[in-house]
Amino acid sequence: DQQVKQNSPSLSVQEGRISILNCDYTNSMFDYFLWYKKYPAEGPTFLISISSIKDKNEDGRFTVFLNKSAKHLSLHIVPSQPGDSAVYFCAASGDNAGNMLTFGGGTRLMVKP
Amino acid sequence: NAGVTQTPKFQVLKTGQSMTLQCAQDMNHNSMYWYRQDPGMGLRLIYYSASEGTTDKGEVPNGYNVSRLNKREFSLRLESAAPSQTSVYFCASSVWGLDEKLFFGSGTQLSVL
């Protein structure tokens, strides 16, 4: 049973528009959430994170929103650029899991020029 | 400025063969990890080493062994490869702790026939 789920395997967006990637989790003990970005033939790279004491964290074009009551987080990319085309993984951790990161299955974002 | 280096990049094994995946980091990080990535499953932790001299099982340790050779190097061994171990393997490191920002290598694509 996956504790972190990304229900959309893929997403296609026009350049300049907003990309919204979603992630749901089931473990209420998770208290730290991260997004990683992965290009083909490369390892994932850290993008942005958020602690459960916040509901929003922004870094340039990237914003992560956390809704604890819904156990849902989302990554917004505005404006989307073709170079943002990649697979995005959300991940979560919490004390009850020994602080091990649990990853979602990933969403492939395609930004069309 | 190599970061995390994994070798080999590609490997094909026959069922029952053994092999060792090598990983080295030059960032003076304390913690190192081995993950596997399977389609739709995200990244799953195989083993980790929180610090030099310690190793612990992750989510999917069966069929694998690890060695933390020194602070820089962390190897993953498949003693008797099985087709279920066909996957992409990623080594990662972090300054300290399991829930911190991870730095990943570029991966090893392993096929077991």
Side-chain angles (χ1 to χ4, degrees):
Chain A
D1 183 33
Q2 284 188 295
Q3 297 188 70
V4 178
K5 290 185 179 180
Q6 295 175 254
N7 291 317
S8 298
S10 64
L11 174 68
S12 183
V13 170
Q14 205 66 35
E15 181 179 5
R17 306 294 289 267
I18 184 171
S19 295
I20 300 176
L21 293 88
N22 294 304
C23 179
D24 296 297
Y25 62 96
T26 57
N27 190 335
S28 58
M29 298 301 290
F30 286 145
D31 58 9
Y32 188 58
F33 304 89
L34 306 90
W35 284 93
Y36 284 83
K37 176 180 180 179
K38 183 185 178 305
Y39 291 119
E42 295 184 11
T45 56
F46 170 77
L47 188 58
I48 192 169
S49 64
I50 188 168
S51 166
S52 60
I53 62 173
K54 293 186 172 183
D55 54 19
K56 175 182 174 181
N57 189 27
E58 191 172 353
D59 183 2
R61 296 185 297 113
F62 301 91
T63 303
V64 56
F65 295 92
L66 176 61
N67 182 333
K68 290 185 289 293
S69 61
K71 295 189 181 68
H72 177 82
L73 65 155
S74 60
L75 174 68
H76 292 210
I77 306 174
V78 184
S80 302
Q81 300 173 354
D84 296 329
S85 298
V87 176
Y88 291 78
F89 293 99
C90 66
S93 72
D95 286 343
N96 71 320
N99 286 331
M100 282 192 283
L101 279 179
T102 300
F103 283 84
T107 296
R108 181 176 301 277
L109 173 66
M110 293 163 284
V111 180
K112 298 179 180 178
Chain B
N1 194 18
V4 179
T5 303
Q6 289 182 237
T7 55
K9 291 191 183 299
F10 302 96
Q11 183 72 47
V12 178
L13 294 177
K14 294 181 180 178
T15 297
Q17 287 184 318
S18 63
M19 79 160 295
T20 299
L21 281 65
Q22 307 286 353
C23 175
Q25 52 90 10
D26 62 2
M27 296 174 283
N28 200 36
H29 285 171
N30 291 290
S31 303
M32 298 185 73
Y33 319 81
W34 278 104
Y35 284 87
R36 60 178 287 174
Q37 184 198 358
D38 301 294
M41 301 289 290
L43 293 105
R44 292 182 292 169
L45 183 64
I46 305 171
Y47 270 94
Y48 66 97
S49 171
S51 62
E52 186 179 357
T54 69
T55 60
D56 286 286
K57 295 178 181 179
E59 183 184 354
V60 288
N62 291 344
Y64 305 95
N65 285 300
V66 290
S67 295
R68 183 75 183 266
L69 304 170
N70 48 55
K71 190 171 185 179
R72 291 185 63 248
E73 299 172 290
F74 188 39
S75 63
L76 178 72
R77 182 160 179 84
L78 287 71
E79 290 291 353
S80 179
S84 61
Q85 295 178 303
T86 293
S87 187
V88 181
Y89 291 85
F90 290 99
C91 178
S93 69
S94 68
V95 174
W96 194 272
L98 283 161
D99 61 339
E100 289 193 16
K101 183 171 65 174
L102 302 181
F103 292 81
F104 285 86
S106 58
T108 297
Q109 176 94 49
L110 175 67
S111 295
V112 183
L113 305 177

